[in-house]
Structure formats: C-alpha cells, structure tokens
Amino acid sequence: ISLAHNPETQIAAYLLSNHQQEDDDGSKTLLERARDHMKQSLTSAFVGYEIAVKEGMIDGYGVDSNGLSLPESHDMHFGWRDVLECAVDAYLEVHGKDDNAIIGRSSLKVIRLPGNVLEMRGVEIANEICSFFGTCHNNNSDGGEGVCSTSEEGLPSFTENQNDVDVQQKQKLRKMRNVLPKSVEVYVTRPLTAYPYGGTGWGPNSSPGLAENSGAPPLFLQQQGSNNVSSSDSDGKNIDATHPIRFLDYQIETGSVPGQEPALIWSNEHYHQYGHRPAAYQPILNAVLSHFDAEAILEASRDRELTMEERETLDGCKLLQGMLHDLDASLDTMKSFAAYEEYLMNVAVPLIYGSFEELDEESAGMIQLFFRVHGMAVRMVVARWTRDLLLAGWKRVEPSGGDGDDAVKTKDKHQEKEIAKVWKDLGFGDFAGGYDIAEDVTLQEFALKQMLKDDAVQGLVIGCSRPEHVLEAMRTADSSDLDEEQKDC
C-alpha cells in the first residue's frame, strides 16, 4: 500500500506562490483556490495509484496527513471527505465515468492522521470516518455492543443551502457510495507526541525546556547578550513546534555495584520509591562544584600576582560554577528533554570548551559525570510535569494504614484550573478534565492503551529508535483489551 504524505503542504505552496494575486471574480478566495489546487494535485496522485493497482503493482493506496487533524478554521486544514472525493474522481478517471459501466470500487484503503491523549481531534475524525462507513462498534447504554449505522448525510434536505460546496460534496459522496470502498482503515500517528497547535509552526520565542516563567536564558548566559525574548505567564511557553510534549517515562539508574551495570527503574516508580532526584545527584553536584572551586588559585592570589593562565583558569571556574548553579536552580522548570539536550550541545558545551584551553582527564570526567546524573534528573522532572499535565489535578490519596487498594481519588480544583490554562495556551482544544493515570503505569503505556480503546482506531503508527521500544509497544498491545485483529494491526 502506497501513501500520499501531507497533501496539505500543497496549500502552503500555492499560498506562498500566489499571495500577491487578488481574488479572481470574487467567487473564490485565495485560500479556496489553494485548497482546490491541493485537491487537484491529490486526485492526480490517486490516478497514478489507481493505475498502479490496475496493473498489479500495488494492492491499494492511502493518505497520511497532519492536516486531517487540524480544525476547519486553520489554513492547512484538510477534510477527510476531500480524501474520499479525490478517490472517487481518480477512480472514475481511470475506469470510466459512465455510471452504467462502473464495475468495482476505489482502491483507497488507509487514512493516517495524528492523534494522542492531548490532540483528541484526530480520534474525533477517526470516529466520523468510522460512522460514515458504518464499521465501528460502540457500547450501548444497556452494556451491549452495536454497529454504527451507515451515515445518512447527503440526503436531500429543504433546510440546507444546495449551493453550499460542503452540501454538494456530501451529496456527491452519497451518490457515489458504490464507487467508494466498503471501508477504510484509520491509523493514528504519533500517539506519544503532542505538538502545540498541531505542529504548524506556532511557538513562543523562548528558551524551551529551561525556564518556566521567564523567556530569558539561564543567568550564566544573560551576560552574553542573549536576554532578548519576552516573558510570559504561561507554563507551556517552554513547549513549541520543534520541542513537543512526549508521553514518556524514562529509565533511571538507582545505583551501581562495582563491576556491574547500574540497575534501572522507570521514572514513575523511582519517584515513589526513591524521591524526585536520582540518589547520586546531590553528592555528584557537590563534588563537581568543589572540584572547580579554584581554591588553590585563590589561595595563591593572596600572596602574589596570578599568571595569565591562572587568571583564565580562575575565570573559567567561576563561569562553570555559575553554569552548574543555574542548571541546578532551573531543574524543576524543565519540560522538554530534547530542548535540554539541544541547549547543552549548542550553548553549554561550547561555553565550557571556550572557557578552558584544555581540560585535564579528571576535570573532563567530573563534567561528564555531572551531565549524566543531571540528565537523569531532567528526565524525571519532565516525566513528572507531563504526568501532572495529563492528571490535571487528579490524585489518589491513601488513608493511613491503607494497603494501596483503598486509595481514594480526589481532585485539586486549583491545579485543574492551572492545567486548563496550559491546555488552552498550547492549543490542545477544549479541556478534557484530565485523566486518572495509575502511578504504576508508565506514560507511554497509558497513552497507547488510551488510543487503542477507541474502536474507530484500527492501529497506531509509532516511531521506535531502539529494538526494545518495539518490544515494549508490542507488550502494550498484547496487554490491552483488544481483539486479535486490532492486535495484528
């Protein structure tokens, strides 16, 4: 099966190439013409696919589009009915337009679109498609299951404007139901990654992942003239189009035995068993600060004038200590581990090597040790912030002497209000009220199972960078309440 990826980019290309043109005769705006251009391009691609199916080169085709999950008000919005209409037009062009001579159906088989526990519009669209084809099952009020009835949209209505293009499209699709496939499988992409405003380029001008209530970089960099961004009261300002929210818990080292690999534990479990910091974090931070205190040089400066090399080393130690203090102070405001890594590579590491002409082996080892344990601490903070964002005030309180099974769910209304503001600031649509996530369940397991619960979602498309990620996703699917067909998908 071959997929046409992100046809909505044709809209942006058309707008960029024709933005100086005036509207034609007033009947269509520039945006409407851009969408017509996109549909023509997609229909041409589908024609090629239909020919390939006819010649036995492929079994079918589909579309993978971020625009399908964008609201209709967005310029890059791409409607799922447009996909069906393009598929109908392509089939008729390849197989003939004489209604009496039409034999067979369109080879459209798959629609893929983004969706996750924060960007729920993708799941809503999946349900609309499912309802149109009458292929999904929903729970009835009596506890039984029933198949969604085939959509009746497109039936003649005296209350609808017959000149409206949306009405005309629905009527066309109803007339051509015999050409459309009997069903289309809907797959959800990036179920573990949520982009503000659908990842369409919106993003606050900030230092992502490093500051919570200020757009300024850490204090040790402000002297470099980098404090040129505006402040904001939004906690979500540290997440942007290139540094999204990821629903992940991380494996954290709990300690090590000489000669053995360190033991690993998921960050959600570490938080409750050992606290919100790796056990080695504070001792290592103190040891590194002590190593770079330049005490010997300061002692010598009381008796004699320092050499140029000693003064440079002293300045480097002061700068490095300031950096370590600022990284420690900003730790609890981290929200994006990817942004943190990028910041270190582009700013912190060059600053270190620019401050010292050469580091001895011990000093280099101390710095590496700090960033290793600090990175684990950042992972824990980011995972906890993400979990709190999803919980939105939900908490489980165990009564004194309880065994865990007697935990009572409570809602922190103040926190719920604060989280609702973050959801809105990040463009995730209407606040859903949060999720009740068990503390012994990793974020990735919860996010995947939550998507697989919906019958309209036939499968998930997950990016895996390591073999163990594939195995973990398979275990999640196996442990979910799915039928065998969904597990195979």
Side-chain angles (χ1 to χ4, degrees), residues 243-319:
H243 303 106
I245 295 174
R246 301 194 186 280
F247 310 114
L248 298 174
D249 272 297
Y250 301 89
Q251 291 197 310
I252 307 298
E253 296 178 6
T254 60
S256 61
V257 177
Q260 298 182 7
E261 288 294 320
L264 297 176
I265 188 173
W266 288 109
S267 50
N268 58 314
E269 298 177 7
H270 189 291
Y271 182 85
H272 288 280
Q273 293 185 26
Y274 302 102
H276 65 291
R277 295 280 191 274
Y281 175 73
Q282 197 61 47
I284 289 178
L285 172 62
N286 293 338
V288 176
L289 288 172
S290 176
H291 180 80
F292 289 98
D293 61 10
E295 185 63 35
I297 298 178
L298 290 173
E299 193 75 32
S301 67
R302 300 187 182 99
D303 301 327
R304 61 176 173 82
E305 183 177 349
L306 299 178
T307 66
M308 177 66 71
E309 182 180 354
E310 288 174 328
R311 287 199 298 269
E312 290 177 351
T313 300
L314 181 60
D315 291 341
C317 287
K318 289 180 178 179
L319 187 62

Side-chain angles (χ1 to χ4, degrees), residues 414-431:
H414 174 73
Q415 188 173 5
E416 180 183 34
K417 184 178 179 180
E418 293 297 315
I419 295 297
K421 183 180 182 301
V422 175
W423 281 44
K424 180 179 179 181
D425 290 339
L426 293 176
F428 291 133
D430 295 333
F431 178 59

Side-chain angles (χ1 to χ4, degrees), residues 145-209:
E145 288 189 349
V147 180
C148 297
S149 60
T150 301
S151 170
E152 297 183 355
E153 70 174 31
L155 288 173
S157 173
F158 295 108
T159 61
E160 293 180 326
N161 179 7
Q162 299 303 306
N163 294 321
D164 185 271
V165 292
D166 291 334
V167 173
Q168 293 174 356
Q169 184 184 57
K170 292 177 181 178
Q171 292 175 349
K172 175 182 178 179
L173 292 177
R174 184 168 188 84
K175 181 180 179 181
M176 293 295 173
R177 286 301 287 263
N178 62 313
V179 176
L180 287 169
K182 292 183 179 180
S183 64
V184 172
E185 293 185 342
V186 181
Y187 294 90
V188 168
T189 61
R190 58 175 177 80
L192 298 179
T193 306
Y195 283 88
Y197 291 89
T200 56
W202 171 91
N205 188 15
S206 64
S207 298

Side-chain angles (χ1 to χ4, degrees), residues 208-226:
L210 284 173
E212 180 175 17
N213 295 314
S214 170
L219 295 176
F220 71 91
L221 289 175
Q222 292 186 17
Q223 61 188 14
Q224 307 293 328
S226 299

